[in-house]
Amino acid sequence: MSSAAGSSTDGAGRPRPNRFVQLVRAAIRYWALAGGLIVVGLVLLTAGSAISNLVWNRPIPGDYELTKHFIAIAIFTFLPYCQLTGANVTVDIFTEGMGLRARSVMLAFASLFAIIFALVLLRQMSLGFEDYLRYPETTATLGLPLWTAFPPMLVSLLLLLAAAVITAMEGWRGFRGGRPGDASPVAE
């Protein structure tokens, strides 16, 4: 009867993800893919600039500025996905022999640190954004306003916060239930 419309578990007996959580997970995946597209664009820009410099002795103006600006944005787009999938730096040698409940506690504990990290960084980046709006700075060659990097970074930090909350809930659920898959940060 687990296939009933009102059932709160999937076919494997795990809790079925909340619709909102599924939407947040999808948004995080697409955000990371957008970051990947930014990196691909930067690779093409850098290659084009190098080729232009070799062939015509003229690199693309501002390529270095664009690379610095957009690689910072791209790095931030990957943070929520890394949190959600458990791809952040871990010390597997210590957790490898642990049981499911102990790994669930570690996941919840690490997620609490990620929540704090996201909140602190979100606050500080918001203050920096306000400063760049109040006292505008631009890049030397292209005149690109530096504040333009902040909105996508702030979105990334909000998504990181959401991902950390999701993984904290998964860790807590795995600790309480102790069923396989409950603490998995990649469970869909």
Side-chain angles (χ1 to χ4, degrees):
M1 288 208 199
S2 64
S3 62
S7 174
S8 63
T9 61
D10 65 8
R14 292 184 303 239
R16 191 173 33 194
N18 175 317
R19 189 66 156 156
F20 178 72
V21 171
Q22 289 176 330
L23 289 172
V24 171
R25 285 180 176 279
I28 289 170
R29 276 193 303 274
Y30 287 119
W31 193 249
L33 286 171
L37 291 175
I38 290 170
V39 171
V40 168
L42 291 174
V43 167
L44 295 174
L45 172 70
T46 303
S49 184
I51 291 168
S52 176
N53 192 31
L54 286 172
V55 175
W56 297 289
N57 201 25
R58 297 180 87 170
I60 296 174
D63 62 339
Y64 182 72
E65 292 175 355
L66 290 171
T67 300
K68 279 181 25 180
H69 194 79
F70 284 101
I71 202 65
I73 293 169
I75 289 168
F76 272 78
T77 65
F78 300 134
L79 292 175
Y81 185 77
C82 288
Q83 176 64 35
L84 194 63
T85 61
N88 288 325
V89 175
T90 59
V91 185
D92 291 336
I93 193 165
F94 295 115
T95 60
E96 191 174 286
M98 291 181 172
L100 177 64
R101 290 178 72 113
R103 284 195 315 266
S104 296
V105 169
M106 294 292 288
L107 175 62
F109 189 67
S111 296
L112 288 177
F113 275 113
I115 289 169
I116 293 167
F117 173 76
L119 287 170
V120 168
L121 213 53
L122 190 57
R123 179 186 181 277
Q124 294 304 111
M125 293 292 283
S126 296
L127 294 173
F129 181 42
E130 289 174 14
D131 283 348
Y132 274 110
L133 287 175
R134 193 174 306 125
Y135 309 106
E137 287 184 43
T138 59
T139 59
T141 305
L142 298 176
L144 179 67
L146 295 182
W147 69 263
T148 57
F150 282 84
M153 289 178 176
L154 292 171
V155 170
S156 294
L157 290 171
L158 285 172
L159 290 173
L160 173 61
L161 179 61
V165 168
I166 290 169
T167 57
M169 291 185 321
E170 289 172 348
W172 175 248
R173 195 175 319 129
F175 171 72
R176 280 191 28 213
R179 291 186 304 266
D182 285 354
S184 171
V186 293
E188 300 279 333

